[in-house]
Amino acid sequence: MRHILAVLVENNPGVLTRVAGLFSRRGYNIDSLTVGRTENPQISRMTIVVEGDDLVLEQVTKQLHKLIDVIKINDITSEEYVDRELVLIKVGADPSVRGEIMQIVDIFRARIVDIGRRTLIIECTGDEGKINAVIESLKPFGIKELVRTGKVAMLRGHKFTSINESREDD
Amino acid sequence: MKMTAAQALINCLKEQDVDVVFGIPGGNILPLYDAMCKSSEIRHILVRHEQGAVHAADGYARVTGKVGVCLATSGPGATNLVTGIANAYMDSIPLVVITGQVPTTMVGTDAFQEVDITGITIPITKHNYLVKEPNKIPLAVKRAFHIASTGRSGPVLLDLPRNVLQTEITYIQPTDLRLLGYKPTLKGHKSQIAMACDLIMKAKRPVIYAGGGVIASNGSDILTQLAEKISAPVACTLMGLGGFPGGHSLSLGMLGLHGTRYANKAIMECDVLIALGVRFDDRVAVDFSSFAPKAKIIHVDIDPAEIGKNVKVNVPIVGDVKMVMEAMLERLEDKKEEEWLARIEEWKAEYPLKYGPSAQLKPQYIIETIREITDGEAIMVTDVGQHQMWAAQYYRPKTPRTFISPGGLGAMGYGLPAAVGAQVGAPGRDVILVTGDGSFQMCMQEFGTAVEQELPVKVVIFNNGSLGMVRQLQEFYCERRYMAVNFNRNPDFVKFAGVYDALGLRVTAPEQLPGALEQALKTKGPVIIDCVINPEENVYPMVLAGRPLDQSIDG
Ligand SMILES: Cc1ncc(C[n+]2csc(CCOP(=O)(O)OP(=O)(O)O)c2C)c(N)n1
């Protein structure tokens, strides 16, 4: 099963190496890992999508906790959450097919962010299902280049992943 | 107060109650040595190889319970530490390892003697820091000692660029460590402890399985009280030896691959297994799926990640082993399962540790003789191999911190430098190194350190002219196809001692041994006793690969 972990870490150099190294060293499978600053400049937040059964997840979480730079871990998979990913897709777009592509862009509420002579860059944000669908729809036109950010996720409503809200993982 | 960061670091070490460090200087750590030169309060022990420095700091830490400290320069000095750091990490030994680094302006340029030691040691340290800002040195040192010595202890490395050490700073002792993500759980969960106690009170066949965590938490006395209160026999891991008195009537000795048959039988038959400060290592459990099949397992450990890692447990308790045992003692009532204890006694009588009487110098006899002559009061340090297992089986250490052995990594070469560190930490005591001719030759340069520092370590070499433990493996698993296990040209170890003007003795027959040991113990300086033993000797009992624990074989 796939799990989404929201992980708060100290914004120290090397923290990404420590986390990524732990996953490869112990043979855990990462689907995606994103990292960025939070509202507090000293703290970064990672969203890690990891594949494994409950036992593996328990070990992943415990081993992550052993890293001194890791402040807090939330497995949000079983909770209500919002997740998003952003993709940029460069498609082959001769003038003859541009109209068709623009329709697809409209349907997915994506955007065209660059127009070249033979290509378009399309930006799309959404959950995994939507991103996969938009990619599938654009494939027939010839995808020249594609980049995805990996997933970011957040708990809905009054639940938080923050250092102040320590009740969450008690 | 204004001073260089290097001087501040020395102040911080004093603040942490450090009185001795082990190391070798070099270019990039020069400023630190210069600062040390101006302060006479810290004793520096110059070793011969950085591996010796880190193993010595480790031996010192194990014997004293304090944090061991070692120093090395950047590049090759730092990489020479790697084995010793890994060895300490696997055995949860608190160390602060300090390395010099090229100046910050050069970091990342493949400068002379630059190596990314923080990168290299991420998987083998509890934490590490490359300190780039001089005024952060006091905070980094304080954090390093705190992290190394609390929770599940372990090595922490500080990498210090030369220019950082040279910079003048205002020295202020930090008060707040600001470690947001680090708060080890010490007190066990109340209801879990209650559950464990209920299980114990209902148990008909309880057994305690005790490991290094008992010693690390200074919980040995409490363990004895606990075992006596519930009359539970105690099996120790290699790391746990000495955590429970070896001669106690409830002692089962060591369990596992080369454990006593009665310890292993007790594990396989018990109905409640009380696992204290252990990690169900594969050399203990041998086969995870068949380990303690009839038992409900209570597992107490300070590291949550160890609980449920290898073996499923029924009552997990995260906490300091000593504190949890104290809490248990408050709830438990006296109990004694006579039938079970009688069965244990039968097993002890039926399957004792044994070796044939012989005119030959038997390795087991050497260990027993050491115990008799020192009254078991000596600190025994071992290397890795057959001699280590014989020592673990036959020494029966009485008290914690008197059996010092590299368990988790099993790094040959550990013994001699660790014995040096142990002797530094326990100056008045007899320190006896039990080593093999293979292991000894991996770090024998440190004999020079022992001689120079007048550390009266007694080195007993179990000289079988081979890598005995590997020879044994080839006998069992490679149909006696012996490959690369014999030393055809060993040095004369008696002469080797002589080169340093130290005493060397050779023992080839059992009747020579007591006299040689007595002479060695009376000698002020270090001594080597070269004990020539039969290369065909094997370690028994032994559980063959894939077999359950109670089916070990004897010779
Ligand atoms: C650094 C290192 N290299 C290799 C090994 C593998 N190994 C384990 S035991 C052993 C033989 C040890 O020989 P010796 O020290 O003579 O002890 P004996 O088994 O003969 O008592 C070897 C090579 C090891 N544990 N450590």
Side-chain angles (χ1 to χ4, degrees):
Chain A
M1 190 186 151
R2 285 167 79 200
H3 290 254
I4 304 174
L5 305 181
V7 184
L8 297 180
V9 299
E10 299 223 28
N11 186 14
N12 290 336
V15 61
L16 185 58
T17 316
R18 289 179 203 277
V19 171
L22 182 114
F23 275 82
S24 64
R25 188 162 73 244
R26 295 200 180 259
Y28 308 139
N29 292 322
I30 304 187
D31 264 20
S32 75
L33 188 158
T34 63
V35 58
R37 298 238 181 110
T38 62
E39 73 281 5
N40 179 343
Q42 265 136 40
I43 293 172
S44 296
R45 176 163 168 154
M46 294 182 177
T47 307
I48 306 175
V49 182
V50 56
E51 184 79 46
D53 58 21
D54 288 351
L55 232 106
V56 170
L57 248 289
E58 186 183 323
Q59 266 298 308
V60 168
T61 314
K62 286 171 164 180
Q63 294 294 346
L64 275 175
H65 258 305
K66 284 176 74 167
L67 298 178
I68 307 291
D69 284 337
V70 169
I71 303 165
K72 184 170 176 133
I73 304 165
N74 253 355
D75 183 350
I76 65 173
T77 323
S78 57
E79 310 262 354
E80 292 279 309
Y81 63 88
V82 181
D83 69 304
R84 287 292 179 273
E85 190 174 3
L86 184 145
V87 64
L88 293 176
I89 309 164
K90 189 180 281 180
V91 282
D94 285 331
S96 61
V97 294
R98 286 201 175 181
E100 211 178 322
I101 292 176
M102 279 159 80
Q103 269 185 354
I104 292 172
V105 166
D106 264 354
I107 291 167
F108 283 103
R109 271 178 276 153
R111 293 202 301 161
I112 294 170
V113 291
D114 180 68
I115 302 182
R117 270 214 280 158
R118 291 220 154 76
T119 58
L120 293 174
I121 298 180
I122 290 150
E123 170 203 311
C124 183
T125 312
D127 62 15
E128 201 177 339
K130 177 174 164 185
I131 300 290
N132 288 342
V134 80
I135 292 171
E136 279 308 310
S137 313
L138 291 170
K139 257 188 191 160
F141 303 98
I143 292 178
K144 310 279 181 213
E145 205 179 328
L146 184 151
V147 56
R148 303 170 71 144
T149 56
K151 201 180 289 236
V152 293
M154 192 177 273
L155 288 168
R156 286 183 186 272
H158 67 283
K159 292 191 166 172
F160 303 89
T161 302
S162 82
I163 51 170
N164 308 321
E165 199 68 16
S166 58
R167 264 175 297 144
E168 284 292 321
D169 65 354
D170 272 355
Chain B
M1 223 193 328
K2 285 256 182 217
M3 60 180 75
T4 64
Q7 279 164 332
L9 193 145
I10 300 291
N11 280 11
C12 295
L13 293 181
K14 285 188 213 155
E15 191 90 18
Q16 296 292 336
D17 206 22
V18 173
D19 38 34
V20 59
V21 299
F22 304 85
I24 297 186
N28 283 317
I29 201 165
L30 220 49
L32 185 55
Y33 273 82
D34 199 29
M36 218 176 344
C37 189
K38 293 168 189 152
S39 140
S40 56
E41 283 155 75
I42 297 179
R43 177 178 178 199
H44 179 273
I45 294 194
L46 176 63
V47 294
R48 300 299 186 260
H49 183 299
E50 287 84 357
Q51 184 179 356
V54 57
H55 286 328
D58 171 311
Y60 174 86
R62 291 190 205 218
V63 161
T64 60
K66 290 171 67 175
V67 177
V69 182
C70 63
L71 313 176
T73 194
S74 64
T79 51
N80 272 351
L81 297 170
V82 169
T83 300
I85 297 172
N87 196 75
Y89 183 71
M90 293 292 275
D91 287 348
S92 310
I93 304 304
L95 296 184
V96 169
V97 176
I98 299 172
T99 52
Q101 182 56 281
V102 302
T104 46
T105 48
M106 310 275 280
V107 167
T109 66
D110 305 316
F112 178 63
Q113 295 197 330
E114 179 186 0
V115 74
D116 173 16
I117 195 65
T118 45
I120 288 172
T121 57
I122 284 177
I124 53 168
T125 50
K126 191 168 167 186
H127 198 54
N128 61 26
Y129 293 99
L130 166 61
V131 188
K132 287 184 173 166
E133 293 163 60
N135 54 15
K136 290 237 170 104
I137 283 203
L139 179 63
V141 176
K142 195 155 187 168
R143 281 178 169 177
F145 277 85
H146 178 70
I147 293 169
S149 61
T150 55
R152 179 174 180 177
S153 46
V156 178
L157 181 136
L158 292 173
D159 197 23
L160 308 174
R162 188 173 74 216
N163 61 332
V164 168
L165 286 170
Q166 285 166 327
T167 307
E168 188 137 297
I169 62 164
T170 312
Y171 172 68
I172 308 162
Q173 256 304 314
T175 44
D176 183 5
L177 289 173
R178 281 180 287 132
L179 288 167
L180 294 173
Y182 181 70
K183 341 174 188 45
T185 308
L186 299 177
K187 273 199 175 165
H189 203 284
K190 263 200 179 149
S191 60
Q192 293 294 98
I193 292 176
M195 231 153 92
C197 291
D198 283 351
L199 260 183
I200 294 171
M201 289 316 295
K202 286 191 202 124
K204 292 276 169 254
R205 304 184 306 277
V207 167
I208 294 173
Y209 154 35
V214 171
I215 296 171
S217 68
N218 295 316
S220 304
D221 292 342
I222 307 294
L223 172 60
T224 308
Q225 285 179 40
L226 179 73
E228 287 174 352
K229 185 156 194 125
I230 61 172
S231 304
V234 181
C236 287
T237 67
L238 183 73
M239 290 301 298
L241 288 173
F244 187 73
H248 197 288
S249 59
L250 287 169
S251 170
L252 297 170
M254 183 174 73
L255 78 165
L257 185 70
H258 290 299
T260 63
R261 296 190 72 164
Y262 41 91
N264 289 353
K265 284 206 178 290
I267 296 287
M268 297 302 279
E269 289 300 319
C270 68
D271 65 348
V272 172
L273 183 68
I274 309 159
L276 302 171
V278 294
R279 58 189 181 90
F280 296 82
D281 178 67
D282 51 281
R283 290 301 148 108
V284 167
V286 186
D287 176 40
F288 296 133
S289 60
S290 64
F291 186 72
K294 301 178 183 169
K296 291 248 186 314
I297 301 179
I298 300 161
H299 188 187
V300 185
D301 203 273
I302 196 149
D303 181 356
E306 288 303 343
I307 293 179
K309 187 180 76 176
N310 291 344
V311 168
K312 267 205 176 143
V313 303
N314 303 86
V315 186
I317 304 176
V318 177
D320 175 82
V321 174
K322 181 183 181 186
M323 288 170 77
V324 172
M325 286 192 297
E326 281 170 339
M328 283 178 159
L329 267 176
E330 279 175 24
R331 291 183 146 265
L332 289 166
E333 282 153 41
D334 291 359
K335 68 173 269 162
K336 192 167 191 179
E337 298 299 331
E338 301 281 1
E339 218 174 290
W340 175 233
L341 292 175
R343 229 158 116 199
I344 300 273
E345 286 312 309
E346 278 167 31
W347 285 330
K348 281 187 176 178
E350 198 171 339
Y351 308 106
L353 277 177
K354 59 171 193 286
Y355 57 96
S358 164
Q360 275 182 18
L361 180 62
K362 285 279 190 181
Q364 302 88 342
Y365 164 82
I366 303 175
I367 304 290
E368 291 202 315
T369 310
I370 293 173
R371 196 185 71 234
E372 273 159 33
I373 285 184
T374 61
D375 199 20
E377 295 292 335
I379 293 171
M380 182 171 284
V381 182
T382 85
D383 249 303
V384 178
Q386 293 181 311
H387 62 274
Q388 177 188 32
M389 290 299 111
W390 288 315
Q393 292 173 335
Y394 288 88
Y395 188 55
R396 303 209 296 265
K398 289 181 179 171
T399 51
R401 306 191 182 283
T402 60
F403 188 80
I404 311 297
S405 191
L409 190 72
M412 290 168 69
Y414 171 83
L416 182 57
V420 163
Q423 188 77 76
V424 170
R429 297 191 64 164
D430 290 329
V431 173
I432 297 187
L433 168 64
V434 166
T435 183
D437 47 323
S439 295
F440 182 71
Q441 291 186 75
M442 283 210 187
C443 271
M444 64 179 173
Q445 74 284 348
E446 300 307 333
F447 197 69
T449 309
V451 172
E452 184 170 272
Q453 300 287 337
E454 298 176 359
L455 299 166
V457 174
K458 312 306 174 207
V459 180
V460 182
I461 301 178
F462 285 48
N463 189 349
N464 51 13
S466 65
L467 300 168
M469 186 55 102
V470 182
R471 194 207 56 78
Q472 178 169 349
L473 291 177
Q474 290 177 350
E475 179 178 332
F476 279 93
Y477 298 119
C478 310
E479 297 168 319
R480 294 177 195 258
R481 286 184 300 276
Y482 296 125
M483 171 70 193
V485 288
N486 291 325
F487 293 120
N488 298 319
R489 278 304 304 265
N490 258 341
D492 180 329
F493 295 112
V494 173
K495 280 191 190 155
F496 175 80
V499 170
Y500 291 93
D501 288 330
L503 177 64
L505 301 166
R506 178 160 297 116
V507 173
T508 54
E511 59 277 10
Q512 300 166 344
L513 183 66
L517 279 172
E518 307 234 1
Q519 187 186 351
L521 288 168
K522 264 188 258 150
T523 305
K524 276 210 156 64
V527 178
I528 291 178
I529 306 180
D530 182 26
C531 293
V532 181
I533 61 167
N534 182 355
E536 304 277 290
E537 199 70 57
N538 281 333
V539 179
Y540 295 114
M542 172 183 187
V543 182
L544 292 174
R547 295 285 186 79
L549 211 51
D550 54 352
Q551 292 184 19
S552 42
I553 55 164
D554 284 317

